[in-house]
Amino acid sequence: MPRKQFNKDPKGRAPTWVTTFSDLMTLLLTFFVLLFSFSELDAVKFKNMAIALQSVLMGETSTTIFEDDLPADNPIPTPIPAPDVSELESEIREVFEKVKNYVEEHNLSAQVSVKADARGVVIDIKERVLFDLGKADIKPESKIILDKLSLLFEEIDKDIVIEGHTDNLPINTYQFPTNWELSTTRAVNVLRYFVEIKGADPTRISATGYGEYRPLESNDTYAGKAANRRVNILLLVYDSEYKL
C-alpha cells in the first residue's frame, strides 16, 4: 500500500505556520536574551522594556521612554542624608546653654524650666503661670514672661513649636469639649501672642495640642497632674524626616 503523501508547496516553500512559528521562537529568544543582558537594569527601565516587547509580540507599535531620556530639567531627587549625630548633639548643647543662661540672667527660673531632647531645646512653662485651671486666656501678669522669651527667640534662629498639654481630668464645656481643644487653644493663644503682639515671624512658628496623652508624671497625684498641665516651647534643632 503506498504511503500517504503530505501536500507540498509546488514551489518548494515551507508551510505558512512554520514561518510564523520561527518568528515566534526568534522573538522569544530575543526576549530571554534581553532578560539576561538587562538583569541589573532598574525596575523602571525593565517595566518599560517589557511593555515595549509585549506590544511587538501583539503586532502593535510602542514608544518606550527610559529614565535616561527624561528631560534634564526634571531630575530625580537625591535623598537628604541624615545629619551627623555628633554635630547635632553639639548644636543642641549650644542652644541649651544659651537658653539656660538667658533664663537665669532674666530671673525666669521660677516660672520656666529648660531641658534638651532629641529634637532640640524645650522651655517648659507650667499651666499656673499662664492660665487659670480649665481656661485658655493668657493671664495679663504672665505676659511679661512671654515678652522676655520673645527677645530670646529673636537671638536664636530656630523654628519654634508651641505644644499644649493637660492632665487627665475630663473637661466638657461648650468651648472645650475635650482636653484636645483645651491644650490646642492654649498653644494657639501663645503662638498668636508671639506673632500678633511681639511680631514673631509666622513662618517660623507653629502650635499643636497633645491633650492628656504625653504626661511627664503620673496623673495619680495632685503634684503629677500639676506637672502635666503645661505649655512647652520647643526650639527645633532637629527638623528632618529622619529620626535618631
Side-chain angles (χ1 to χ4, degrees):
M1 182 176 179
R3 294 182 179 179
K4 185 176 181 181
Q5 299 293 322
F6 291 96
N7 294 329
K8 296 182 177 180
D9 188 285
K11 296 184 180 180
R13 293 178 301 186
T16 303
W17 68 268
V18 173
T19 303
T20 303
F21 181 80
S22 299
D23 291 342
L24 178 60
M25 290 300 101
T26 301
L27 288 172
L28 287 175
L29 177 61
T30 303
F31 174 74
F32 287 110
V33 169
L34 286 172
L35 283 180
F36 178 78
S37 63
F38 289 102
S39 58
E40 299 299 324
L41 195 65
D42 66 30
V44 175
K45 289 184 179 179
F46 180 79
K47 182 179 179 181
N48 288 335
M49 180 194 69
I51 293 173
L53 185 57
Q54 183 182 20
S55 298
V56 172
L57 290 172
M58 297 178 63
E60 300 174 355
T61 59
S62 174
T63 301
T64 305
I65 300 177
F66 291 101
E67 201 171 275
D68 295 338
D69 300 324
L70 293 175
D73 59 351
N74 186 27
I76 298 174
T78 303
I80 301 173
D84 182 82
V85 174
S86 60
E87 292 181 2
L88 181 63
E89 291 176 348
S90 176
E91 186 174 4
I92 290 176
R93 285 195 297 269
E94 180 182 346
V95 175
F96 173 79
E97 291 298 328
K98 189 169 186 177
V99 173
K100 182 173 178 292
N101 292 337
Y102 184 91
V103 167
E104 292 174 353
E105 292 171 1
H106 290 80
N107 301 316
L108 296 174
S109 299
Q111 292 84 22
V112 307
S113 60
V114 183
K115 63 182 180 181
D117 63 19
R119 302 172 299 167
V121 177
V122 179
I123 302 172
D124 187 339
I125 310 176
K126 298 306 178 187
E127 174 212 42
R128 59 180 173 77
V129 174
L130 293 176
F131 308 102
D132 290 324
L133 188 64
K135 304 294 183 180
D137 296 324
I138 300 174
K139 294 180 179 179
E141 62 271 22
S142 68
K143 292 179 180 179
I144 188 173
I145 299 172
L146 299 181
D147 293 345
K148 292 181 179 180
L149 291 177
S150 69
L151 296 176
L152 170 65
F153 301 153
E154 292 177 2
E155 300 176 6
I156 301 178
D157 185 22
K158 298 296 179 185
D159 286 346
I160 302 168
V161 181
I162 313 296
E163 302 175 332
H165 301 266
T166 69
D167 59 23
N168 66 344
L169 290 175
I171 187 171
N172 185 9
T173 66
Y174 176 79
Q175 188 177 8
F176 308 119
T178 70
N179 281 321
W180 290 113
E181 285 81 6
L182 177 59
S183 64
T184 301
T185 303
R186 285 176 169 177
V188 170
N189 284 349
V190 172
L191 178 150
R192 292 186 62 184
Y193 184 83
F194 283 136
V195 173
E196 297 175 359
I197 305 301
K198 305 308 297 181
D201 183 355
T203 65
R204 287 182 52 206
I205 191 168
S206 61
T208 185
Y210 292 107
E212 64 207 64
Y213 298 103
R214 295 196 180 184
L216 291 176
E217 307 289 343
S218 170
N219 279 302
D220 294 335
T221 65
Y222 177 81
K225 285 184 171 64
N228 293 332
R229 298 191 300 267
R230 66 199 190 278
V231 170
N232 289 341
I233 302 177
L234 169 64
L235 297 175
L236 200 60
V237 175
Y238 185 61
D239 184 13
S240 172
E241 61 185 22
Y242 298 99
K243 295 182 180 180
L244 293 177

